[in-house]
């Protein structure tokens, strides 16, 4: 079953169960996937990887919105964003632990032979395909920066 079909089936189940948070979150995710499919010069069917990227982008929006609401003292809205984020995370690959991420970064540094901050681009280029949606880009960049400075 494709990721898109899984989203659609789970949305139907959430509708039947009258789970409002899950229903609205999955509707939003399906809308984002549909928008991505019709973006550009011609419509196309997204692959599972592309659907995962769309869901990851939506999850990042929820994470950032929750942080912004916390900063503004709007805890009820932050909690709502986190609830939506929890639903979206069910459709994403399991995130890498800090130790696993550090190990991947160390491997990439030894592969590329990068030294100092000048080699950050090389290391990021080597690490990104290995991480592939299992860690946020900011987290990866922070790990690379820390490894190169340390």
């Amino acid at each position: 079953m494709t990721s898109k079909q899984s989203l659609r089936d789970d949305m139907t189940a959430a509708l039947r169960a009258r789970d409002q948070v899950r229903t609205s979150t999955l509707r939003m995710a399906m809308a984002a996937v549909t928008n991505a499919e019709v973006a550009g010069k011609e419509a196309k069917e997204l692959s599972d990887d592309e659907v995962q990227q769309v869901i990851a982008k939506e999850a990042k929006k929820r994470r950032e919105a929750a942080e912004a609401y916390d900063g503004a003292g709007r805890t009820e809205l932050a909690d709502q964003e986190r609830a939506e984020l929890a639903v979206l995370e069910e459709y994403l690959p399991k995130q890498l632990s800090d130790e696993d991420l550090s190990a991947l970064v160390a491997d990439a540094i030894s592969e590329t032979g990068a030294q100092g901050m000048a080699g950050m681009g090389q290391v990021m280029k080597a690490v990104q395909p290995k991480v592939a949606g299992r860690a946020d880009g900011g987290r990866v960049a922070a790990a690379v920066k820390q490894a190169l400075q340390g």
Side-chain angles (χ1 to χ4, degrees), residues 4 22 39 44 80 88 97 101 110 117 124 138:
K4 187 175 171 183
R22 191 170 190 78
K44 64 175 183 156
Q80 181 180 347
L88 291 173
S97 67
L101 182 58
S110 64
M117 292 307 294
M124 287 295 291

Side-chain angles (χ1 to χ4, degrees), residues 73-132:
R74 303 290 307 267
T75 56
E76 69 284 350
L77 293 173
D79 291 341
Q80 181 180 347
E81 294 291 336
R82 282 192 193 89
E84 291 179 2
L85 176 61
V87 172
L88 291 173
E89 284 178 338
E90 293 175 24
Y91 298 92
L92 294 173
K94 186 177 181 301
Q95 295 293 296
L96 289 171
S97 67
D98 289 338
E99 295 81 29
D100 292 340
L101 182 58
S102 295
L104 285 174
V105 168
D107 289 346
I109 289 173
S110 64
E111 280 175 25
T112 60
Q115 293 180 339
M117 292 307 294
M120 185 163 177
Q122 285 180 305
V123 177
M124 287 295 291
K125 195 175 196 178
V127 169
Q128 286 294 22
K130 295 175 185 174
V131 171

